Amino acid sequence: MTDPIIQRIESFRRRRGQLVAERRNRGYTLYRAGSGTPIARLRPTGQNAGQNAGQNAGQNDRVEVLYWSLWKERWTSAGPFGRTILPIDEALRFIASEDIFWAAG
């Protein structure tokens, strides 16, 4: 059985390179495909951003976006003012565009 969220993460096009994802604990960990460097962590919030949640299950699910802090050596909130919670597709675009996720790799 294939996880549809992992399929969406791995098929998302980004200029910085391919990502692989795995389901861990209560979320998804994203790694750079070539090196295995941790890039981001997505934690589902259980909230749905769409009004017709039943029509596009999973498409509008909201996730908290975290990045791997080399300084703290743990997953840390990606937002400047606390938690960053976005629908999955917006979260992937956010990760692709922000340098903080790619600093270690």
Side-chain angles (χ1 to χ4, degrees):
M1 186 162 112
T2 305
D3 188 319
I5 300 292
I6 290 177
Q7 287 179 334
R8 288 176 60 202
I9 292 167
E10 292 181 349
S11 66
F12 187 79
R13 294 282 178 222
R14 66 208 56 78
R15 64 179 167 81
R16 299 186 195 227
Q18 187 66 28
L19 293 178
V20 293
E22 68 179 1
R23 180 95 163 116
R24 283 204 144 178
N25 298 324
R26 297 169 300 165
Y28 298 89
T29 303
L30 286 64
Y31 300 96
R32 184 171 276 212
S35 66
T37 303
I39 299 295
R41 177 130 174 93
L42 302 177
R43 266 193 211 140
T45 63
Q47 301 172 344
N48 189 293
Q51 293 183 347
N52 299 324
Q55 291 180 348
N56 296 321
Q59 183 173 347
N60 294 315
D61 289 345
R62 296 172 70 82
V63 294
E64 179 181 6
V65 183
L66 305 160
Y67 77 96
W68 182 254
S69 171
L70 293 173
W71 176 61
K72 295 179 181 180
E73 296 185 349
R74 66 180 178 92
W75 294 108
T76 304
S77 294
F81 303 110
R83 296 172 65 191
T84 300
I85 298 175
L86 300 166
I88 185 78
D89 290 333
E90 286 182 39
L92 293 171
R93 285 191 291 274
F94 177 65
I95 292 165
S97 67
E98 294 296 324
D99 291 336
I100 192 69
F101 296 100
W102 306 92

